[in-house]
Amino acid sequence: MVKIKIDGIEYEVDEKKNLISAAKDAGVDIPFFCYHPKLSVVGMCRMCLIEIEGIPRLQVACNTKVTEGLSIITKSDRVIEAREGTMEFLLANHPLDCPVCDKAGECQLQDNSFKEGKGNSRFTLEKRNIPQEEIGSNLIINHNRCIVCYRCVRFEEEMVGESNLGLFERGYHSIIGLAKEEPINHNYQGALADICPVGALLNHKTLFKSRVWWYKSEDSVCPGCSTGCKTYTNVRDNKMFRYMPRIDEEKDQYFLCDKGRFNVDWLNTNRLFSFYKGGEVSVSTTVLDEISEKISRSKKIAVIGGAHESDQNLKSIKESLSKLGVAFVTEARVSSEQYKEPEQVDFLYTTDKRPNTRGALDSGFVSGEGIDSIRSAAIKGEFDLIFVIKEKVSEILAGVPSESIVVLETNLTEDVASAKYSVPIKVYSEQSGSFTNKKGWVQNFNKSMEAPKGLSSSAEIFSLLEKKTLELRSNPKEAAVGNS
């Protein structure tokens, strides 16, 4: 830590941070466009101009090192005039189309224009007009809005490891465009739209879907893989529209991949809301009563899956199982990727596509035998009942009689119709809890959607089964009469 002065006030800041980040920690916002804490510094936008005592010319904050005794001024007349000039220059060709721009409401250009701009422009000539282009499988570029901050080019080269974009022409004719003939097709087109500080880069999948101020947002965690990227959920009319990255500088989390970001359809459509028995729609009392009756007569049961469930649900399920008085085995690892350290497919996405494998390991929701051994035992009929929590039965239990299988699912799948019993459960966004990512970080997520009335979580289902099973054992005669 070092001591610096900002506008005459002394602060203690982290010398390892960029001056913009260090000042923000001290509660002082320095406006910027091209700077990003994970990208190289280029000083292209000139928005972060400041005065440094002892240096006659204005300097860019993004390229100023934090050193002991540094004294800067962020609100002098010279600085204010310079920022006003920068904003006037950037807005010279920028169209005033905020009412139809998807970035409206979360646009740095809007924010800096209101805070640092003059409110009027001396530019009277006709603004340039370049046609919009599709440059990716899910990416559009509006050249007229681009302020040439170079963020997108740097992000691709430095984070994704590709060079699809480049800066072409000079001066008035400068544009960001494709450097190759092929359109962009990588896993970070959503991140490109995010990192653009204006509405120049936009995604097809979210284009004109909703205004940002209509969303209800909650802190969450991406359920797409074991990385566990922090997110904000964007919900409107109780439907998930998108995830946005929740920045955590301490844990080096800034971005989201497309596979996690746009995987929202399963939360909104094809949901399982009915109980099933033998492939036919049934009612909760029939299904849960029959399952409880089978548990009361069982010698051994298995619970497979659970790596999509929260730490809290896994703990509660184990507690319920331990009270049943039946031998049981649990195994959340159903794929080969879960039995080893997750491998990186790219800089964020991993081979383990479940958010809580590590949480299952830490909570003991795993067996010593492994899924292959459990499958062999199930084929031999060693389990009276097998519960499968949000996993594909046809893949992990091929050859096992369906009469012994109980599926707990969030969505209507083929397994729901083929299993003996199927039970609907809440999705993660209809609950609060935590996932433990591949590094062992326990990360909390808040409830962001309302579940339909009567829908239970996986933990609540097992709690109900525990209660019903114990009641059957305490009143065996009544159970016999009810089943006769």
Side-chain angles (χ1 to χ4, degrees):
M1 303 293 283
V2 295
K3 292 181 178 180
I4 67 171
K5 282 187 178 181
I6 304 176
D7 298 323
I9 301 174
E10 189 172 80
Y11 298 95
E12 191 172 53
V13 299
D14 187 349
E15 74 274 16
K16 295 178 183 178
K17 289 192 173 183
N18 180 282
L19 179 58
I20 293 177
S21 292
K24 186 177 180 181
D25 290 345
V28 179
D29 285 327
I30 299 175
F32 60 88
F33 287 115
C34 66
Y35 168 71
H36 191 280
K38 282 295 288 183
L39 304 180
S40 58
V41 173
V42 291
M44 291 179 70
C45 72
R46 320 308 288 179
M47 193 67 214
C48 63
L49 289 170
I50 56 169
E51 282 191 79
I52 301 178
E53 289 188 8
I55 300 178
R57 293 184 178 180
L58 297 179
Q59 303 294 313
V60 287
C62 63
N63 202 30
T64 300
K65 292 185 178 179
V66 176
T67 56
E68 183 71 41
L70 176 71
S71 180
I72 68 169
I73 301 170
T74 68
K75 297 175 182 177
S76 69
D77 291 341
R78 289 179 67 204
V79 170
I80 291 171
E81 183 182 9
R83 290 177 184 169
E84 287 178 348
T86 297
M87 283 306 309
E88 187 177 12
F89 177 74
L90 291 176
L91 290 171
N93 274 304
H94 192 90
L96 298 177
D97 61 352
C98 299
V100 295
C101 178
D102 260 20
K103 199 77 170 183
E106 54 186 8
C107 175
Q108 281 183 253
L109 192 67
Q110 282 182 331
D111 294 341
N112 286 337
S113 179
F114 279 112
K115 293 177 182 177
E116 313 294 340
K118 291 182 69 172
N120 64 291
S121 173
R122 290 169 289 180
F123 187 82
T124 58
L125 303 177
E126 186 177 346
K127 294 177 183 284
R128 72 176 188 172
N129 187 15
I130 304 173
Q132 183 171 278
E133 288 185 89
E134 293 191 19
I135 59 172
S137 57
N138 181 32
L139 196 65
I140 304 166
I141 186 166
N142 186 313
H143 295 291
N144 301 317
R145 296 172 183 161
C146 179
I147 61 171
V148 196
C149 69
Y150 217 59
R151 270 184 166 193
C152 53
V153 178
R154 286 179 288 148
F155 172 76
E156 276 210 317
E157 292 179 349
E158 297 171 18
M159 303 304 300
V160 182
E162 296 187 17
S163 297
N164 296 297
L165 296 170
L167 178 60
F168 302 96
E169 305 298 339
R170 293 185 179 184
Y172 175 85
H173 301 286
S174 294
I175 63 168
I176 297 289
L178 279 175
K180 301 177 180 179
E181 292 184 2
E182 300 81 14
I184 296 170
N185 196 34
H186 58 60
N187 192 25
Y188 292 90
Q189 295 176 62
L192 280 172
D194 264 357
I195 209 169
C196 178
V198 297
L201 292 173
L202 299 169
N203 297 123
H204 271 300
K205 291 183 178 179
T206 54
L207 194 65
F208 304 138
K209 292 291 178 67
S210 178
R211 285 301 192 183
V212 298
W213 49 83
W214 290 337
Y215 291 133
K216 172 189 172 185
S217 296
E218 294 287 350
D219 290 357
S220 192
V221 178
C222 177
C225 80
S226 61
T227 300
C229 297
K230 290 186 174 181
T231 66
Y232 291 111
T233 55
N234 282 172
V235 175
R236 179 185 170 193
D237 298 330
N238 208 38
K239 290 186 180 295
M240 187 74 70
F241 275 69
R242 63 176 185 172
Y243 301 118
M244 295 294 283
R246 181 159 52 103
I247 293 173
D248 186 340
E249 291 189 20
E250 299 300 322
K251 292 185 176 178
D252 201 33
Q253 293 184 324
Y254 296 90
F255 308 111
L256 281 179
C257 76
D258 288 357
K259 291 184 184 296
R261 178 192 299 271
F262 298 116
N263 185 25
V264 297
D265 288 344
W266 68 280
L267 297 168
N268 304 325
T269 60
N270 198 39
R271 289 290 303 278
L272 177 63
F273 295 131
S274 299
F275 285 76
Y276 276 68
K277 174 186 174 183
E280 300 292 333
V281 174
S282 184
V283 294
S284 60
T285 51
T286 299
V287 172
L288 295 179
D289 284 351
E290 290 189 17
I291 294 173
S292 300
E293 196 273 330
K294 287 180 179 290
I295 292 175
S296 68
R297 294 187 286 105
S298 296
K299 293 182 178 179
K300 191 174 184 180
I301 62 176
V303 179
I304 296 173
H308 293 284
E309 298 298 303
S310 67
D311 296 319
Q312 292 73 22
N313 280 353
L314 295 179
K315 180 182 178 182
S316 178
I317 291 170
K318 281 207 73 174
E319 289 175 353
S320 293
L321 290 171
S322 64
K323 296 175 183 177
L324 292 174
V326 178
F328 67 90
V329 59
T330 57
E331 182 54 84
R333 299 167 300 176
V334 300
S335 68
S336 58
E337 292 82 8
Q338 293 177 279
Y339 285 86
K340 56 187 178 182
E341 285 295 315
E343 298 174 7
Q344 294 297 139
V345 177
D346 50 46
F347 80 94
L348 285 181
Y349 195 56
T350 71
T351 51
D352 183 4
K353 298 174 180 60
R354 294 159 182 82
N356 208 25
T357 298
R358 179 63 180 269
L361 283 165
D362 291 350
S363 63
F365 210 85
V366 293
S367 66
E369 300 91 346
I371 190 62
D372 291 336
S373 178
I374 292 173
R375 184 189 300 111
S376 298
I379 292 172
K380 295 175 185 177
E382 294 181 15
F383 298 107
D384 299 293
L385 275 177
I386 304 171
F387 293 87
V388 181
I389 306 175
K390 199 166 173 54
E391 296 290 353
K392 292 185 178 179
V393 176
S394 54
E395 292 181 4
I396 60 178
L397 292 177
V400 177
S402 62
E403 290 298 310
S404 61
I405 295 175
V406 179
V407 169
L408 278 72
E409 249 301 349
T410 59
N411 294 79
L412 192 57
T413 66
E414 292 181 3
D415 291 333
V416 168
S418 60
K420 177 63 177 177
Y421 301 106
S422 293
V423 178
I425 56 174
K426 293 177 182 177
V427 294
Y428 88 102
S429 56
E430 292 166 344
Q431 312 168 62
S432 294
S434 65
F435 292 138
T436 305
N437 80 343
K438 62 180 182 178
K439 294 183 178 180
W441 298 342
V442 178
Q443 302 185 118
N444 295 325
F445 57 86
N446 295 333
K447 176 183 174 182
S448 53
M449 297 172 68
E450 292 297 328
K453 189 174 182 180
L455 193 65
S456 302
S457 67
S458 58
E460 289 167 340
I461 290 296
F462 275 94
S463 180
L464 280 170
L465 292 174
E466 171 206 334
K467 181 180 178 181
K468 286 177 175 290
T469 302
L470 296 179
E471 286 177 354
L472 285 172
R473 286 191 179 142
S474 62
N475 299 293
K477 291 183 179 180
E478 289 183 18
V481 171
N483 291 322
S484 60

